[in-house]
Amino acid sequence: MPNEIKGLNEECGVFGVFGAPDAAQLTYYGLHTLQHRGQEGAGIVSTDGENLYQHRDRGLLAQVFADPAELKRLVGDSAIGHVRYGTSGHNSIANVQPFLFRFHDGDISLAHNGNLTNAVTLRRQLEDDGAVFQSDSDTEILIHLIRKHIREGFIPALKKSLNQVHGGFAFLLLQKDRLVAALDPNGIRPLCIGQLANGAYVVASETCALDIVNASFVRDVQPGELIVIDRDGLHIDHYTTDTRLAICSMEYIYFARPDSIIHGVTVHNARKKMGRLLAREHPVDADMVIGVPNSSLSAASGYAEESGLPYEMGLIKSQYVARTFIQPTQALREQGVHMKLSAVRGVVSGKRVAVVDDSIVRGTTSKQIVKMLRDAGAKEVHLLISSPPFRFPCFYGIDISTRSELMAAYYSVEEMRQQIGADSLNFLSVASLIKAISVPDAGDAPDGGLTVAYFTGKYPTPLYDYEAGYLKSLNEQELRAQRRQ
Amino acid sequence: MPNEIKGLNEECGVFGVFGAPDAAQLTYYGLHTLQHRGQEGAGIVSTDGENLYQHRDRGLLAQVFADPAELKRLVGDSAIGHVRYGTSGHNSIANVQPFLFRFHDGDISLAHNGNLTNAVTLRRQLEDDGAVFQSDSDTEILIHLIRKHIREGFIPALKKSLNQVHGGFAFLLLQKDRLVAALDPNGIRPLCIGQLANGAYVVASETCALDIVNASFVRDVQPGELIVIDRDGLHIDHYTTDTRLAICSMEYIYFARPDSIIHGVTVHNARKKMGRLLAREHPVDADMVIGVPNSSLSAASGYAEESGLPYEMGLIKSQYVARTFIQPTQALREQGVHMKLSAVRGVVSGKRVAVVDDSIVRGTTSKQIVKMLRDAGAKEVHLLISSPPFRFPCFYGIDISTRSELMAAYYSVEEMRQQIGADSLNFLSVASLIKAISVPDAGDAPDGGLTVAYFTGKYPTPLYDYEAGYLKSLNEQELRAQRRQ
Amino acid sequence: MPNEIKGLNEECGVFGVFGAPDAAQLTYYGLHTLQHRGQEGAGIVSTDGENLYQHRDRGLLAQVFADPAELKRLVGDSAIGHVRYGTSGHNSIANVQPFLFRFHDGDISLAHNGNLTNAVTLRRQLEDDGAVFQSDSDTEILIHLIRKHIREGFIPALKKSLNQVHGGFAFLLLQKDRLVAALDPNGIRPLCIGQLANGAYVVASETCALDIVNASFVRDVQPGELIVIDRDGLHIDHYTTDTRLAICSMEYIYFARPDSIIHGVTVHNARKKMGRLLAREHPVDADMVIGVPNSSLSAASGYAEESGLPYEMGLIKSQYVARTFIQPTQALREQGVHMKLSAVRGVVSGKRVAVVDDSIVRGTTSKQIVKMLRDAGAKEVHLLISSPPFRFPCFYGIDISTRSELMAAYYSVEEMRQQIGADSLNFLSVASLIKAISVPDAGDAPDGGLTVAYFTGKYPTPLYDYEAGYLKSLNEQELRAQRRQ
Amino acid sequence: MPNEIKGLNEECGVFGVFGAPDAAQLTYYGLHTLQHRGQEGAGIVSTDGENLYQHRDRGLLAQVFADPAELKRLVGDSAIGHVRYGTSGHNSIANVQPFLFRFHDGDISLAHNGNLTNAVTLRRQLEDDGAVFQSDSDTEILIHLIRKHIREGFIPALKKSLNQVHGGFAFLLLQKDRLVAALDPNGIRPLCIGQLANGAYVVASETCALDIVNASFVRDVQPGELIVIDRDGLHIDHYTTDTRLAICSMEYIYFARPDSIIHGVTVHNARKKMGRLLAREHPVDADMVIGVPNSSLSAASGYAEESGLPYEMGLIKSQYVARTFIQPTQALREQGVHMKLSAVRGVVSGKRVAVVDDSIVRGTTSKQIVKMLRDAGAKEVHLLISSPPFRFPCFYGIDISTRSELMAAYYSVEEMRQQIGADSLNFLSVASLIKAISVPDAGDAPDGGLTVAYFTGKYPTPLYDYEAGYLKSLNEQELRAQRRQ
């Protein structure tokens, strides 16, 4: 799979508010709860009804706004914000959102969570027609499309443009007099609407961001919808009716915050149920259950309850690992120096330990965890994964690496177990995953309204620019599979 | 109680290594696991057998050593390090340890965890004799005492000096040819010895710091001991035999890391048992048990297991709260904006919740937690504290505020419950606390070898400079108590 | 005059090199000598023949490249660089050059010194055709124009575009396989070509940048020329032959470095001659001549030599005034606290002082200098300006404020003298200015091949977007002039 | 000469004010004008009559106080400040002044310009008596001496202590109720008193610091004096009457600011006269005179006037060389890349140039200047030094390197000329230096009241700790001298 395909992949969180005093400050707190969705860049654009004001930079939110004066400069009662993780090499400040485009007929700011599957093609066409791009981001394509059609009016131009882009996307747009939100036809990325006590509306990637600003939940944005918030209130419109719900299952598995509620399902509860179903599918003979902090603790406690085994704290995670931390040399790492996780010797020593983790990507972390527990005296280490094996990449905005780096794409479960060094290794089935989440408003959408392509290879949309590379990677896999026989 | 008494209070962690390549780097990783013991300053002093090299500054370890060159400058095979929390106003860089004193007859570096109870008196005497202090820290007193007796030789001078200082202390001293560790006669602060694969010895406040550098545990330093490590190995000596074990119970309750083992007891296990005994003493009628992350999760899971109630994640803690974070204004705080903790609506809504927390100091956090849970829809909130009420200050190196700020010093449990707004409030008994910890080598020491003065007012040592203020505070309490009747 | 007209004004310096090892490092040193042309932003783009690499930020060059790793990342044997002063409000990082535009058919980087007079009109037209701008800078217009014509090939598209933009400009463009330089049809901004010992060509705003990289001077770029440097060497082409030399006289008066040679004239020598001619036009009865450091020292020494008066150091300038300096409060300023300049009491006390300065813009600095000298005991202060009165704004890339701020636009010389508080005030005549500079290759160009519109109002080009505002400002002046009668 | 002797050498500036609102801010501006005396550390200690407040750090003043809040914290109406240059290896923050010592009977702050010649001996004695030093600085010795005698009262203890320290020193001490200044018995370092409009007194190393705060000059502090400023006003006292004026001649030659007046002599005037006398002693046949900016411009203009040759700007100095500047590699340096100085080709090309510089230390800069001028086309380069050859080190607080690095200590003038590559090289005579300065209140003090030991080897005080090393260096010189014959 070509390198540049990976490069376009981003993880993000978005937040917007329209018509509330201290809009930038509210956005700051909203982004704070979304920081887990992206730690490499953050920004806010506000408007006072006249002008748009911007601050964005690389780094964590607290670093970007380390000088409180930067936040104070963002005056006005409306704002949008963005946190971003971009794969290395594409992390220049030019790619940090929200983007702010200045036009003689009115400025537009744009923030995006997701990934477009036809970005390369669209960009090439636009450039051949004279477009000048300022970033590597596929997000910017939307504004060029809008401007191509701007003589038809902004909203018509936006609707037309949203029908030209494909993939998974949640867009926020801010103009001096309105805030617009749009979601892809499959609702792959989460996006929800809340309301403050003063009546102002808030839009966010996850409900945890509504909670921190004390906004009451109004509704999830639905696939194909176009939400317009202006001085007259909230307007629910759509740019397409050809929709089918297929929410990204990884949001539930590990990406979203446990307190968020996506399409009616509390993430912690879904994870706990994944743990319970995992215990039913794969009971183990062990003295205790431990989780890998922090994202796997919910599933681990579910496994413990269902299995009746005691739930223990066998691994602890340092709260103090900073970006600037001096990493141990290879020599020290081999001596067992790890900065993030430690095994609790007094808990696991002499015990048969069932470790619950949420996923396996490259397998390197799993290998370290097993070794760490054995070094701390664990007699047996049984690894239980609360999701099915990741075998296919995500093209919709979560970076789980190129296909060639996915351990499960090339190895059987038994081969993985051997490489990781566990006494046993088991995964949750796709059916149980869907059952654990049980999206209430899935209707008759396939796979319970979820995207489970990472496990099955069946994507809910055409892959466009990625199609050729994807097929090529499959052939390679088959070749390898044959070589192994 | 006079303000300056509080000012002298410090929380700290120490680490030392003698005779290992990359000693400063090992110290850095050791301090990393001790960061929870102090986040406001950090430093390392190393020696190559000729000179002593120093770097220290305010801030977290990763900030102090943000420039890797600073760590590389600290050459040599031996080092000591320190992390520190100092109460505000005394947080100048002059107070950041390890201190490094340069003498024509050989440099000495000094790091200290603890608090001396006769520091004011000693300092006044020394100054009247011509001493010039460079810090506000009581740590510095030891070096002035040593130099007063230096003509008798270093070790005799040190022993004499250690008999002149009183309180709770764990000292590390580094000279170009040896590392010395000393513990107070009651062993109030923890200190342990480990050994690296190459035979080099390591000394640290907690065993988690031994684990990260892959050192095997050798023994806890015992009350009154003087440990000397030099090119000939480890020498166990003592400066007094008038000793009696009285380890600080707060180390087990909330201060130490859960994976540390202090005097044979794994902290996580002790906490879990506190939760179990709390469940026996105070069963509640609830739908679930939740813990306040992170320090109360062990006790909460113990409570859940003993009570048979499900253990849920009803509160989550942000991993991204930085020192530079812009705090919500009072107006926003009243609207419910809190940066650190969030209630998980989808878990607690409509439920009767039993919340386990490790302690109550001022009561403000408890009040916020209860409000947060009720805002998220909890029907009932029962607060369970896995330690007895804090009624008396610590004079031995843990900052639980001046007496006047301790809620339990002035209010009954029922009054506290009303102020906090919980449906019920219960504390663990002192007897159960002692039973939960059960220090194996306590022998016949009172209170099971623990300092529980924070709950009982019975301190294991005379209070010296603090005596008058302590008595005065008691009188005030009685006056208040009378006024309330 | 509308505010936005001022906003577009910028001062800048550019540097480029093609085909030399360590191109980015050479560019760094070249920009260092051009730092006086812009202190608010700096950047470098390099190419290794494959990719283009970029680093740019706000601040001085040394701040932008404070981390040496940033410079090392800019690999390759060709590079262009830029230093910039942008008027406040437009100093976002998006406006810092060189700009780097990425296209599927090849990246282009662009750096510009100058100002376009038809930028507003062009930008509006382009936006109406779908263009999305990333900056407020008129520089960006060129790339959009080029892309409009790109199907005709790059050089033809560039030539066509250069004929569409008007004003004063010196452009550098870098592609992976060539460096292009272009100068406006009047040669208003300076631009010169040099050659390194290895044969590689260098292009720079001033010859001082050739000197620091030890490049020998080849020639000045001439009006209307298009210089292409590629692997085959230097190609001199032109995009128009309708040219007439009109170099900006302010480059000689105060903007360029004294060691630079522009169109054959060493700036220091021109300034010294301005001082000599000033002495002939306006002899004064004084005890000494002093210059305002640093830009007026050449003229002052010329005045001293011609007049026979001693040349003294009566004012000194602090070398340590940093951007972060805490400025004196108004109260302190009134007490005479100034951070930049000090009068030398021991030199001027009791003396009649002739002060030579290069120009008067708002008059506030002149007023301070006169007060400072009188406070230091000067008996008389005679102010001599080595240029004519600034009465009209620059539309070609030097920020001498909007017309309404130019003191000489509204006041007579005698009125100015009174406001400034000098005993006498005299300016150099336009004729003497032209004579002092005496551009050798001016031929029969009007005003000796110089732009002297700042003094005469006669601009060498149409003013386009500025025309209306300019005329309006004239009417206002006349109205004011009448009111004063 | 042993290395540690060099290490103790420091250059500094001090400023103090007592009884003026915004004392710390005044001190900040005062230190700003003294920044040339030390660029590696700065600090201010203020008092409000109750407490002493401190901020100090490494770096330039503007860096140390980059956060304006730091300056605002320094409340009160009295303050002392310090700027410092410390030789490398001793530049830890512990050595940055003013020092602040906290005692139960009252805090004392201390700032020092100078160097003690018996520091090593005193420190050893004090340490043997139990003293604990916090810095490497000899400044700290004074406070230990004072505390030894403190039972006699502060002023008597201070006087006694001042008689125990030897060398060149100007001390400022701040207590909550007074400011004390003391000068060594030879007045080697400058120190002056001024008065603000409100009557408050100011003390500073140079009069330029009085000027910036608009203080009127009161008097120079005289050798052996002890100045006490308190609520009752200014008290002139002395601690010894065994005094003899011997001001450091290097202050006049290059160290002090040209606008300062030391013992009645304006520094610029003294330098100009050095240039005039140099022209009389060493006329050269040249086309022009140029100075090395900035410190040699005064002498150069004096030379030009006396010789009748034109004064030109043949070298210019960049204003933008920052501490963080990336230095050219050796390869680039050999190609002629220098960041600080540039030769003005259009001025010197084809000319016989007389270059005036203030001194030669190692000779490396002189060599570069000559090469630079020749590269720029100068036909002849005649180097004229406006001071005698530096042959002996300074032990009183100016760092002119260890003896072994002084070019003139080992080579004849002709040998120096050859190494430097000049067409001629000449120095001012000691007699002319003394005549050029002509200190009015020198009385019958030897050498016109100046220290000229750097040229003659005749020091005005015993050398104590330095004596042995000094003699040893002499022998080496003689040995070398013999080898050369």
Side-chain angles (χ1 to χ4, degrees), chain D residues 171-194:
Chain D
F171 281 111
L172 292 190
L173 294 98
L174 183 71
Q175 292 176 301
K176 65 181 180 177
D177 51 5
R178 75 185 140 202
L179 170 63
V180 180
L183 191 63
D184 70 79
N186 298 100
I188 295 175
R189 300 266 66 92
L191 194 64
C192 62
I193 305 173

Side-chain angles (χ1 to χ4, degrees), chain A residues 147-463:
Chain A
R147 295 300 299 186
K148 281 275 160 200
H149 312 301
I150 194 67
R151 284 191 176 88
E152 306 171 26
F154 181 74
I155 294 294
L158 174 57
K159 285 188 181 180
K160 194 174 274 189
S161 304
L162 288 168
N163 278 292
Q164 291 179 271
V165 296
H166 301 306
F169 55 80
F171 281 110
L172 292 190
L173 293 98
L174 183 71
Q175 291 175 302
K176 64 181 181 178
D177 51 5
R178 76 184 140 202
L179 170 63
V180 180
L183 192 63
D184 68 79
N186 298 98
I188 295 175
R189 300 265 66 92
L191 193 64
C192 61
I193 304 174
Q195 192 168 25
L196 295 170
N198 77 341
Y201 287 99
V202 170
V203 187
S205 290
E206 297 184 30
T207 60
C208 62
L210 306 186
D211 290 341
I212 202 173
V213 299
N214 225 23
S216 58
F217 175 78
V218 173
R219 65 194 290 279
D220 290 296
V221 178
Q222 297 301 323
E225 281 189 346
L226 187 72
I227 308 292
V228 178
I229 306 166
D230 57 22
R231 299 287 162 204
D232 300 328
L234 179 80
H235 313 275
I236 297 174
D237 195 356
H238 57 268
Y239 63 89
T240 181
T241 55
D242 182 10
T243 65
R244 199 187 71 184
L245 187 65
I247 327 162
C248 175
S249 59
M250 285 192 286
E251 295 277 352
Y252 294 101
I253 294 169
Y254 79 88
F255 194 51
R257 242 171 74 143
D259 54 336
S260 287
I261 302 172
I262 305 175
H263 282 281
V265 180
T266 297
V267 170
H268 164 73
N269 293 345
R271 287 182 193 163
K272 195 158 178 184
K273 203 154 169 208
M274 291 174 209
R276 284 186 172 281
L277 296 180
L278 184 61
R280 282 189 220 158
E281 288 187 338
H282 302 289
V284 293
D285 201 13
D287 298 316
M288 64 179 62
V289 177
I290 69 173
V292 178
N294 288 330
S295 59
S296 307
L297 298 183
S298 302
S301 76
Y303 193 102
E305 281 183 28
E306 184 72 23
S307 66
L309 296 172
Y311 172 69
E312 294 292 343
M313 184 185 290
L315 289 166
I316 73 162
K317 187 177 175 182
S318 174
Q319 301 170 52
Y320 300 103
V321 178
R323 197 165 292 271
T324 58
F325 230 82
I326 297 166
Q327 291 306 308
T329 57
Q330 184 54 29
L332 284 169
R333 257 199 306 273
E334 277 161 20
Q335 285 164 44
V337 174
H338 295 288
M339 308 310 295
K340 279 195 178 167
L341 287 175
S342 308
V344 186
R345 183 179 303 272
V347 167
V348 302
S349 180
K351 298 292 167 56
R352 296 169 304 159
V353 180
V355 191
V356 177
D357 203 352
D358 51 29
S359 56
I360 293 180
V361 180
R362 284 185 192 77
T364 44
T365 306
S366 303
K367 204 171 158 180
Q368 283 173 9
I369 287 170
V370 171
K371 183 176 184 311
M372 205 176 272
L373 289 167
R374 292 208 196 277
D375 285 350
K379 251 188 353 199
E380 294 176 15
V381 180
H382 300 276
L383 188 54
L384 294 143
I385 307 300
S386 59
S387 65
F390 279 159
R391 295 175 52 220
F392 303 92
C394 174
F395 301 114
Y396 305 127
I398 286 195
D399 179 40
I400 51 162
S401 311
T402 56
R403 177 107 206 279
S404 63
E405 294 172 321
L406 293 175
M407 194 185 202
Y410 298 109
Y411 298 103
S412 68
V413 171
E414 172 55 21
E415 285 168 334
M416 289 172 79
R417 187 198 64 74
Q418 285 174 23
Q419 289 185 38
I420 287 167
D423 291 292
S424 72
L425 168 66
N426 284 290
F427 289 86
L428 188 68
S429 66
V430 173
S432 288
L433 174 69
I434 292 168
K435 189 176 164 197
I437 301 174
S438 289
V439 181
D441 43 335
D444 56 356
D447 298 328
L450 295 168
T451 293
V452 292
Y454 330 116
F455 317 115
T456 64
K458 290 181 205 148
Y459 292 88
T461 71
L463 294 185

Side-chain angles (χ1 to χ4, degrees), chain C residues 153-166:
Chain C
F154 181 74
I155 293 294
L158 173 58
K159 285 188 181 179
K160 193 175 273 189
S161 304
L162 288 168
N163 278 292
Q164 291 179 271
V165 296
H166 302 305

Side-chain angles (χ1 to χ4, degrees), chain C residues 252-254 258 267-280 289-307 311 354-359 384-387 428 433 436, chain D residues 311-313:
Chain C
Y252 294 102
I253 294 170
Y254 80 87
V267 170
H268 164 74
N269 293 344
R271 286 182 193 164
K272 193 157 180 184
K273 203 153 171 209
M274 292 174 209
R276 284 186 172 281
L277 296 179
L278 183 61
R280 280 188 221 158
V289 176
I290 69 174
V292 179
N294 289 329
S295 58
S296 307
L297 297 181
S298 303
S301 78
Y303 193 102
E305 280 183 31
E306 184 72 21
S307 66
Y311 172 70
V355 191
V356 177
D357 202 353
D358 51 30
S359 57
L384 295 143
I385 306 301
S386 59
S387 65
L428 188 68
L433 174 69
Chain D
Y311 172 69
E312 294 292 343
M313 185 185 289

Side-chain angles (χ1 to χ4, degrees), chain C residues 95 313 380 396 427 435 456:
Chain C
N95 288 330
M313 185 186 290
E380 295 176 14
Y396 305 126
F427 290 86
K435 189 175 163 194
T456 64

Side-chain angles (χ1 to χ4, degrees), chain D residues 129-316:
Chain D
D129 284 354
V132 177
F133 278 75
Q134 63 179 263
S135 70
D136 307 315
S137 165
D138 56 358
T139 304
E140 196 186 341
I141 288 166
L142 188 72
I143 199 77
H144 288 270
L145 291 173
I146 293 171
R147 293 299 300 186
K148 281 276 160 199
H149 311 302
I150 195 66
R151 286 193 175 87
E152 305 171 27
F154 180 74
I155 294 295
L158 173 58
K159 285 189 180 178
K160 195 176 272 189
S161 304
L162 288 168
N163 278 292
Q164 290 180 271
V165 295
H166 301 306
F169 55 80
F171 281 111
L172 292 190
L173 294 98
L174 183 71
Q175 292 176 301
K176 65 181 180 177
D177 51 5
R178 75 185 140 202
L179 170 63
V180 180
L183 191 63
D184 70 79
N186 298 100
I188 295 175
R189 300 266 66 92
L191 194 64
C192 62
I193 305 173
Q195 192 168 23
L196 295 170
N198 77 342
Y201 286 100
V202 170
V203 187
S205 290
E206 296 185 31
T207 60
C208 61
L210 305 186
D211 291 341
I212 202 173
V213 298
N214 226 22
S216 58
F217 175 78
V218 173
R219 67 195 288 278
D220 290 295
V221 178
Q222 297 300 324
E225 282 189 346
L226 187 73
I227 308 293
V228 178
I229 306 166
D230 57 22
R231 301 287 163 203
D232 299 329
L234 179 79
H235 313 275
I236 298 173
D237 195 357
H238 57 266
Y239 63 89
T240 179
T241 54
D242 182 11
T243 65
R244 200 187 71 184
L245 188 64
I247 329 160
C248 174
S249 59
M250 284 192 287
E251 296 277 352
Y252 294 101
I253 294 169
Y254 80 88
F255 196 52
R257 240 171 74 141
D259 54 335
S260 287
I261 303 171
I262 305 175
H263 283 280
V265 179
T266 297
V267 170
H268 163 73
N269 293 345
R271 287 182 192 163
K272 192 156 181 186
K273 203 155 169 205
M274 291 174 210
R276 284 186 172 281
L277 296 180
L278 183 61
R280 280 189 222 158
E281 286 187 340
H282 302 289
V284 293
D285 201 12
D287 298 316
M288 64 178 62
V289 178
I290 69 174
V292 179
N294 289 328
S295 58
S296 307
L297 297 182
S298 303
S301 78
Y303 193 102
E305 282 183 28
E306 184 72 23
S307 66
L309 295 172
Y311 172 69
E312 294 292 343
M313 185 185 289
L315 289 166
I316 74 163

Side-chain angles (χ1 to χ4, degrees), chain C residues 336-351:
Chain C
V337 174
H338 295 288
M339 307 310 294
K340 279 196 178 167
L341 286 176
S342 308
V344 186
R345 183 179 302 273
V347 167
V348 302
S349 180
K351 297 294 168 55

